[in-house]
Amino acid sequence: MPKSKRTPEEFSIDPAAQEMLIRAAEIGVGTAFSRAEEMTPCNIGAAGMCCKICGMGPCRLTKEGQTGVCGATIDTIQARNLSRAIAAGAAAHSDHGRDMAFTLKAVANGEAEGYQIRDVAKLHAVAARYEIPLEGRTTEEIANELADLYIAQFGQQRGEILITKNAPARRLALWQDLKVVPRGVDREVVEALHRTHIGDDQDPEHILRHAMRTALADGWGGSMIATDISDILFGTPAPLVGRTNLGVLKEDMVNVVVHGHEPTLSEMIVAASLDPEIQEYARAAGAQGINLSGICCTANEILMRQGIPAAGNFLHQELAILTGAVEAMVVDVQCIMQALVALAENFHTKIITTSPKVRITGATHMEFDEHRAYSIAKEILRAAIDNYKNRGKTQIPNVQERLVPGFSHEYIRYMLGGTYRASFRPLNDAIMSGRIRGVAAIVGCNNPRSQQDYLHIHVARELLKQDVLLVETGCGAIASAKQGLMLGQAGLDQVGPGLREICETIGIPPVLHMGSCVDNTRILTVLTEMVAEGGLGDDIDDVPAVGIAPEWMSEKALSIAAYCAASGAYVIFGGSSPVSGMPDRVADSELVLKYLSEGWEELFGGKLEFVSDPDEMVRRALEHIDKKRAALGLPAYQAEKFGRSGDTQMLELEKLPFTEKRAALYGAVE
Ligand code: NFS
């Protein structure tokens, strides 16, 4: 392996990652960090200027005015490539939602071993949204009807996906006007692939209009279904104390890391790990027990519901194996690097694939089936325990941080007003007064092309100083958690005065962990609730809010960007732009880039921009928030007006001698 030009500190800001990268170099094994360094991106493909959708190419449009063999222009090619990526991302999220719907159906029919409906209140709330009768019916009957309704959204051919009804009325009317309300989830994905086949849709704006419809089928379709059903089956998240980073792995226990996305598998592994028979089996193998942890969005799912520690985000998957302390990494779907298998060969770690959709050459396959879920989960754990005796030298970084995850939109509403006055009013009021300047969602992946977690954290810290409340999901949330930004008071000395007052009054961290990547739909729901509460306009594009994915890399992230923009949000992506064109021929290749920004803003009030400099991301985010504040007629943001609420004044007064304290409180006595 060639010697790396970048130091571990340049690869990641996380000390646990740095330690493991040193270990990787010592052992002489590669990781995504070193491979990214060796593999220079193709500058033609990265800019979206390569077309390989037919056998006459691939065509590389590197010269001014050049077209593909079929005559396709650079704009058509870029629009097609982006549309296909969005369709793949929407398909991934939505197929996850479909599996959740089938699991709900199986549970309702009593055919899913080990599962139950844990959150009947959420089942009722969701069913009521779609006018499913509740009176005099059993939980199973209601769940059955909801499962059928949700399953039908995927194959529906005509009409409108029912879930879009959850959007603000003005938004839905706009989508209807623009003819982008999805008819059925599968139909939009298929049509996106059809339109981008050789010789079909060749008007870039027309292609991208359909890309929006496809993305909406994700955000207000498949992903929202996934979130709703996960809550119904496993419980709606509420705050609890969790831990994160590689230090959560344990020397004296069987370490099982679950990695991927669908909580159906991981929740059952959590349950099986508590089974006395399995605990005993682990002790008989010489371990103190089983220590479960998660990677990627599966980590978020079981962290926010069960408090199971998160070993890390996307770029931590290989680093966990490098500790030598992982008996099994159990994966299902999405964000799983093929490199895990070759890396694991240097250790005793078993990579266990479980999804009928995902196999990796060289991995052990133990197929998961929700009808026998509990038994399979136990078999997987037994295989991990059997592997404990094969463990060699270990090195677990002594790095971990605590966090408070679990801010579902239901909990946010509750925390703002309590049981009897649950409401978004206090949040809206805080924004309207200027204590909170605006809201930013920082979401999405890690990308080894940048320094791991740096962009997430830099943008987060700068926005917090400016009194912007942060909501986070996915790998971005784990990045903030690793830095201690999600722990009650811990981050408050780093935030602006107004936001600090709000956090102290409610008792929340300044960065709210809202879940996994499919849970970005929770953010859509929060925005919708803020609109419904009043005072911040009648639609999502009126709210002073932005969405940022500083280290994006996946097609799912592009789908999220598109549905957020279609919902009215300003979305900023870091890293590179897949439609950037080449610097020396920008004039010839910027139509798509402009259309995603100005074109989408004109149509939807939301837009997508690619910005590589994190300070520029912050500047644009604040500019947008201030623009929206002004449009609503809200007072301009003034940091110095706040930060002197009763509590802080009292604390300062406590430090004064009695007479001065008296004078400060009641005026000087003559
Ligand atoms: Ni979402 Fe990015 Fe993957 Fe989750 Fe992480 S990489 S697009 S955040 S784990 S899906």
Side-chain angles (χ1 to χ4, degrees):
M1 209 185 57
K3 198 172 156 12
S4 171
K5 290 189 268 321
R6 288 164 78 192
T7 63
E9 290 76 18
E10 286 167 334
F11 278 134
S12 174
I13 63 166
D14 179 342
Q18 293 163 6
E19 183 178 334
M20 285 301 99
L21 290 171
I22 293 169
R23 186 164 204 226
E26 281 165 5
I27 309 172
V29 296
T31 60
F33 297 88
S34 60
R35 289 188 299 274
E37 198 176 35
E38 286 155 33
M39 176 71 70
T40 313
C42 161
N43 59 349
I44 302 164
M49 304 174 82
C50 169
C51 182
K52 53 184 175 62
I53 65 167
C54 84
M56 295 189 289
C59 298
R60 288 153 300 143
L61 273 56
T62 54
K63 298 194 189 87
E64 193 81 30
Q66 201 175 14
T67 67
V69 174
C70 69
T73 63
I74 182 68
D75 305 323
T76 299
I77 288 171
Q78 287 187 333
R80 273 200 305 229
N81 288 342
L82 180 62
S83 179
R84 284 201 161 200
I86 289 170
H93 279 150
S94 299
D95 218 27
H96 169 170
R98 182 202 323 269
D99 282 346
M100 297 303 303
F102 279 125
T103 304
L104 180 64
K105 179 84 186 161
V107 175
N109 286 336
E111 294 165 353
E113 182 196 44
Y115 296 104
Q116 64 195 49
I117 292 169
R118 284 206 205 128
D119 196 337
V120 177
K122 175 118 188 191
L123 171 70
H124 285 187
V126 175
R129 261 192 245 149
Y130 306 113
E131 287 149 32
I132 293 175
L134 307 177
E135 273 300 306
R137 302 180 85 193
T138 65
T139 299
E140 287 68 30
E141 281 167 341
I142 298 165
N144 220 319
E145 192 170 339
L146 179 66
D148 284 339
L149 181 142
Y150 271 169
I151 291 165
Q153 304 305 305
F154 294 91
Q156 184 171 289
Q157 300 302 319
R158 295 193 187 87
E160 296 181 347
I161 283 186
L162 269 179
I163 299 132
T164 54
K165 277 200 176 134
N166 300 321
R170 208 181 83 188
R171 183 68 17 190
L172 181 57
L174 174 72
W175 292 336
Q176 283 164 340
D177 255 17
L178 295 171
K179 299 197 171 44
V180 293
V181 182
R183 294 154 292 188
V185 177
D186 295 354
R187 179 164 184 190
E188 305 315 343
V189 174
V190 167
E191 190 170 315
L193 294 178
H194 177 191
R195 285 189 190 216
T196 53
H197 183 272
I198 161 78
D200 277 303
D201 200 357
Q202 286 153 67
D203 173 338
E205 293 184 6
H206 196 240
I207 293 168
L208 290 168
R209 181 77 69 96
H210 184 73
M212 283 307 225
R213 197 176 202 178
T214 311
L216 284 171
D218 172 358
W220 299 88
S223 278
M224 208 169 264
I225 291 174
T227 296
D228 279 347
I229 299 180
S230 300
D231 286 355
I232 290 167
L233 287 177
F234 308 120
T236 302
L240 43 76
V241 179
R243 288 176 297 126
T244 185
N245 218 336
L246 295 172
V248 305
L249 298 172
K250 297 237 169 82
E251 282 288 355
D252 54 356
M253 295 179 96
V254 175
N255 289 303
V256 176
V257 179
V258 283
H259 168 24
H261 282 76
E262 295 181 354
T264 27
L265 166 74
S266 48
E267 282 279 347
M268 211 40 72
I269 290 188
V270 175
S273 72
L274 302 171
D275 192 308
E277 180 198 325
I278 292 291
Q279 294 280 352
E280 188 43 48
Y281 195 70
R283 279 191 290 274
Q288 293 297 314
I290 295 204
N291 180 44
L292 268 190
S293 60
I295 291 272
C296 278
C297 280
T298 276
N300 288 315
E301 299 277 0
I302 51 175
L303 167 70
M304 64 183 170
R305 292 199 180 86
Q306 313 295 347
I308 302 292
N313 45 8
F314 176 70
L315 284 176
H316 265 41
Q317 56 188 287
E318 291 175 292
L319 308 182
I321 292 175
L322 275 158
T323 63
V326 175
E327 274 56 56
M329 186 171 275
V330 186
V331 305
D332 56 4
V333 293
Q334 301 167 23
C335 302
I336 301 148
M337 292 190 197
Q338 186 167 357
L340 292 179
V341 173
L343 178 66
E345 279 167 11
N346 297 284
F347 303 91
H348 72 307
T349 308
K350 256 184 192 304
I351 305 294
I352 302 177
T353 52
T354 57
S355 166
K357 294 168 202 161
V358 175
R359 291 209 187 195
I360 308 177
T361 311
T364 306
H365 190 71
M366 299 179 78
E367 195 152 308
F368 187 69
D369 168 4
E370 70 260 23
H371 300 97
R372 293 186 49 241
Y374 194 64
S375 311
I376 296 168
K378 287 208 303 196
E379 279 164 34
I380 290 173
L381 290 177
R382 272 196 216 100
I385 295 166
D386 291 343
N387 197 22
Y388 183 64
K389 61 178 179 300
N390 299 322
R391 200 191 264 192
K393 182 175 175 298
T394 60
Q395 182 181 336
I396 301 173
N398 185 17
V399 181
Q400 58 176 304
E401 186 52 85
R402 293 188 312 143
L403 75 148
V404 178
F407 291 90
S408 53
H409 54 85
E410 288 89 345
Y411 187 81
I412 294 178
R413 167 183 264 276
Y414 161 79
M415 81 187 182
L416 291 169
T419 307
Y420 299 108
R421 285 177 293 128
S423 136
F424 274 79
R425 192 73 251 155
L427 177 61
N428 282 22
D429 285 345
I431 294 174
M432 290 166 72
S433 69
R435 275 195 173 79
I436 294 179
R437 186 169 181 173
V439 180
I442 305 186
V443 304
C445 330
N446 277 151
N447 188 330
R449 297 267 168 230
S450 54
Q451 188 185 20
Q452 183 195 12
D453 296 347
Y454 168 73
L455 295 174
H456 281 292
I457 298 305
H458 182 79
V459 171
R461 286 195 199 284
E462 291 306 310
L463 289 175
L464 288 175
K465 283 186 211 157
Q466 300 290 328
D467 289 303
V468 176
L469 176 69
L470 302 185
V471 292
E472 298 198 351
T473 59
C475 291
I478 299 178
S480 281
K482 286 192 287 179
Q483 297 294 323
L485 292 175
M486 291 182 162
L487 194 60
Q489 301 288 315
L492 290 188
D493 54 335
Q494 305 163 46
V495 313
L499 176 61
R500 182 180 177 141
E501 269 182 29
I502 299 293
C503 291
E504 283 172 342
T505 310
I506 308 174
I508 51 165
V511 186
L512 303 181
H513 186 311
M514 291 192 72
S516 64
C517 230
V518 292
D519 294 335
N520 283 318
T521 60
R522 295 190 200 276
I523 300 173
L524 296 178
T525 306
V526 165
L527 291 167
T528 304
E529 297 236 19
M530 286 165 75
V531 167
E533 187 59 47
L536 293 175
D538 336 309
D539 196 354
I540 294 173
D541 62 337
D542 294 329
V543 180
V546 291
I548 310 176
E551 299 179 21
W552 82 276
M553 60 86 200
S554 81
E555 290 168 317
K556 288 180 292 174
L558 291 169
S559 177
I560 294 165
Y563 75 62
C564 288
S567 304
Y570 175 26
V571 181
I572 303 173
F573 265 37
S576 63
S577 157
V579 291
S580 62
M582 299 266 205
D584 55 343
R585 46 169 297 176
V586 162
D588 178 42
S589 59
E590 68 179 6
L591 183 139
V592 169
L593 208 54
K594 266 199 170 156
Y595 184 70
L596 303 185
S597 171
E598 291 157 31
W600 276 358
E601 187 166 37
E602 209 177 296
L603 291 172
F604 296 100
K607 58 183 171 178
L608 169 60
E609 288 176 351
F610 295 88
V611 181
S612 54
D613 172 14
D615 291 316
E616 177 62 12
M617 286 183 217
V618 172
R619 194 195 65 72
R620 288 199 204 181
L622 292 173
E623 186 181 72
H624 181 80
I625 283 172
D626 289 344
K627 188 175 93 183
K628 293 295 172 184
R629 291 188 66 85
L632 287 166
L634 300 179
Y637 165 72
Q638 266 183 299
E640 55 292 353
K641 270 176 69 185
F642 302 106
R644 303 210 29 94
S645 63
D647 273 357
T648 21
Q649 269 192 55
M650 281 300 170
L651 290 175
E652 278 167 27
L653 287 174
E654 282 306 313
K655 294 177 202 149
L656 298 175
F658 179 74
T659 44
E660 287 178 41
K661 198 185 300 182
R662 198 189 145 91
L665 275 174
Y666 305 113
V669 181
E670 292 298 313

